[in-house]
Amino acid sequence: MAMAPAAHETFKLGEFTVPRLWVGLWQLSSNAWGTTSVAKIRQAMGRHVDAGYTAFGPSGNSCPVAKLLILVDLLCRHADHYGSAELIFGQFRSTLEVPESVLGATKWCVFKPMTVSRETVEEAVRQRLERMRTARVDLLQFHWQDYANHDYIGALEVMSQLRDEGLIANVGLCNFDALRTDEICARFPGLVVSNQVPFSLIDTRAAWALADVCTKHGVKLLTYGTLCGGFLADKWIGHPEPDPYAGSLNPSQRKYLDMIVKAWGGWALFQDLLVVLHEIGERNNGASVSNVATRWVLDHAVVGAVLIGARLGCTEYAADNLNVYNLALTAEDRAQIEAVLARSAGRRLIDTIGDCGAEYR
């Protein structure tokens, strides 16, 4: 039985009130995820607006302005690394009657040594303003590769100034661990509103020290990898372990298959988890495996939103994803999930892989 539409859940992110499900656009980075025309991608963005992927921002009247919240997850060094996501998003927003009613988020990722100055940081911000066709970055998420180089403090100092000057609405972190998140939030109280990190039934590292740090400083987690590249889905029930080198998997799937098989507990145990999630979904008005997996993450108080990657114009599950808002897991549901997780090595990933973001450093 299909579930009736539910009211969207929201949370406060800096000055904005935003939904708890976001559309992630990092899959526009490469044809490896599947490709289509820019026109079809923009049409798909419009479909997400129609489906109700909205947030609410400040308004000059008593009625809030409806806003689409699309995460433009562009990974940059000094040149584009994640393709044309910002450009496509900026083009889409510019076609709207009220472009300012659409909220976008992006990244600034520093992988190589650079000279941190007011000029270099502002240049990176203005590049995003130009590409996204906006006067202010709604959420700038900052990744710094080398913790041994403490220039990330200087970069955040400039970002704080740019926020005060109106070029940035909100500053977030990306793949920062508990230690550095605590350091930054103590140094710049109230500056950081979010930290984008992996969090799923398979990868629960964010639920430990990082969750405590973020709760202490009022920072919300924006989680990716929550569906493990699409493996946490009904279609994989009873499916044999795929060959990562056969050419049928996209880059995300190869990454998460490696974690499932080599670090978490193996394909057979993963099948047990899928079956349990399916049973729980059946008890809850036919919710999908993906719905249950997403709901489990959203139910952690420190989590603000789940970022669901969409191959816009190729493969989308906008309607099914919204069913998450109807779903309420029971104590029985949670105990059934926990019984499987207890048989895995998931709770030891923080020791074997390291804290959130360690796998990228």
Side-chain angles (χ1 to χ4, degrees), residues 128-167:
R128 279 141 190 82
L129 296 177
E130 179 180 357
R131 291 169 64 90
M132 296 175 70
R133 303 189 185 189
T134 184
R136 183 178 69 161
V137 177
D138 295 316
L139 175 62
L140 181 65
Q141 299 171 103
F142 176 55
H143 172 92
W144 185 267
Q145 185 70 10
D146 182 12
Y147 287 147
N149 180 353
H150 285 78
D151 283 351
Y152 58 84
I153 295 295
L156 284 159
E157 178 68 47
V158 177
M159 280 182 257
S160 178
Q161 297 169 9
L162 296 177
R163 183 200 60 174
D164 294 342
E165 295 167 16
L167 292 183

Side-chain angles (χ1 to χ4, degrees), residues 225-264:
T226 299
L227 298 181
C228 294
F231 277 120
L232 283 167
D234 292 88
K235 70 178 184 180
W236 290 99
I237 296 175
H239 197 290
E241 180 181 332
D243 181 351
Y245 305 107
S248 60
L249 301 182
N250 63 43
S252 286
Q253 289 173 328
R254 289 195 295 272
K255 168 187 171 181
Y256 290 111
L257 177 64
D258 192 61
M259 176 171 284
I260 291 167
V261 173
K262 295 182 180 179
W264 180 77

Side-chain angles (χ1 to χ4, degrees), residues 307-320:
L307 285 57
I308 300 178
R311 292 186 293 165
L312 296 179
C314 296
T315 304
E316 305 162 33
Y317 301 95
D320 178 69

